[in-house]
Amino acid sequence: MTGSPFLTARALGLGAVAAVLIAAMVVLGLWQLGVYDDRQRDDARSTLGRAPVALTDVIGPDDAFPSDGVSRPVTVRGRYLADEQFTVRRSATLGVERAVVSPLEVDDGSIVLVVRGQGDQAAAPPAGPIDLTGVLEPSDPSGSALDANRATDGIRTAALVQDFDQDLYSGYVVRTESQPADHLTVITPPTPESSRWAGIRNLLYAVQWWLFAAFVAFMWWRIVTEPPVGVPSVAEDTAEPSSTTVG
């Protein structure tokens, strides 16, 4: 009985070489995947690192939220409406237990909601004109109207518009700095989605290395299971010779 072709010295030797090559290619693929992840994070950070522009250059009080406005650094000037501020409890979008949101009235009388920072509703905003820099975010996907304590679980414009008499911007601003200074601790703006194309070359390189590894494994199997040229196969060795009748 013939032994397994995978346990011959030749097969084991080739297998050791193949294992080293496969391991190296898997590691190289993982390295390229890590580079891809880094490029994705860098792209997201660069979105937040853009130079701020005036809020009115991105969106108006009656405009639908633009697709290119997500995580856009903006500047805006106005006055806080201290009596109309509210809190957001356990915000999944902002990632904090409690955030203070103060409506900022701009020159045309409309208001934009500003996430001033972490704290409670008693934290009064600075008085007088405010020059504010922050990150523009779209309305949250979920959130209720303000309750009796002027609190909600999300900044959803459609639910909050009934609580204000002025026109309300369809997005809100997460404050990063302001003049005069605000005593509340700023909240880190939500991390934006990176471009699907950021680092795509590295992702393709990772897939390429793993395909090479699969090809090496396939070639090892092919070489081991097929006899060398000129060497009869097991079937040929065990085949019975045919008899010839001499007339």
Side-chain angles (χ1 to χ4, degrees), residues 40-110:
Q40 289 276 298
R41 285 189 291 269
D42 290 344
D43 183 75
R45 285 193 290 265
S46 67
T47 300
L48 292 175
R50 292 175 293 177
V53 298
L55 176 65
T56 52
D57 289 345
V58 182
I59 187 175
D62 297 319
D63 296 340
F65 197 91
S67 59
D68 60 352
V70 180
S71 299
R72 177 77 220 195
V74 295
T75 59
V76 59
R77 181 179 175 85
R79 294 175 181 269
Y80 283 126
L81 303 178
D83 294 338
E84 298 187 48
Q85 76 176 14
F86 60 93
T87 56
V88 181
R89 301 167 303 212
R90 295 178 296 278
S91 171
T93 303
L94 299 173
V96 295
E97 284 295 316
R98 186 176 292 272
V100 177
V101 180
S102 299
L104 185 75
E105 185 178 32
V106 298
D107 291 341
D108 62 3
S110 59

Side-chain angles (χ1 to χ4, degrees), residues 104-124:
L104 185 75
E105 185 178 32
V106 298
D107 291 341
D108 62 3
S110 59
I111 59 176
V112 58
L113 301 178
V114 176
V115 179
R116 290 174 48 219
Q118 298 184 57
D120 55 48
Q121 194 171 323

Side-chain angles (χ1 to χ4, degrees), residues 150-220:
R150 294 194 65 79
T152 182
D153 54 357
I155 310 175
R156 187 165 70 93
T157 306
L160 295 173
V161 67
Q162 62 185 345
D163 295 299
F164 300 95
D165 296 328
Q166 302 98 315
D167 288 337
L168 190 64
Y169 277 76
S170 58
Y172 60 92
V173 175
V174 181
R175 178 184 72 90
T176 54
E177 57 181 283
S178 60
Q179 292 295 330
D182 199 315
H183 65 281
L184 290 182
T185 302
V186 296
I187 294 173
T188 302
T191 302
E193 292 186 4
S194 56
S195 168
R196 70 182 66 181
W197 303 111
I200 189 66
R201 181 188 302 178
N202 301 100
L203 180 61
L204 294 176
Y205 285 160
V207 174
Q208 176 180 278
W209 280 118
W210 294 332
L211 289 175
F212 286 164
F215 180 73
V216 169
F218 168 75
M219 288 304 298
W220 173 79

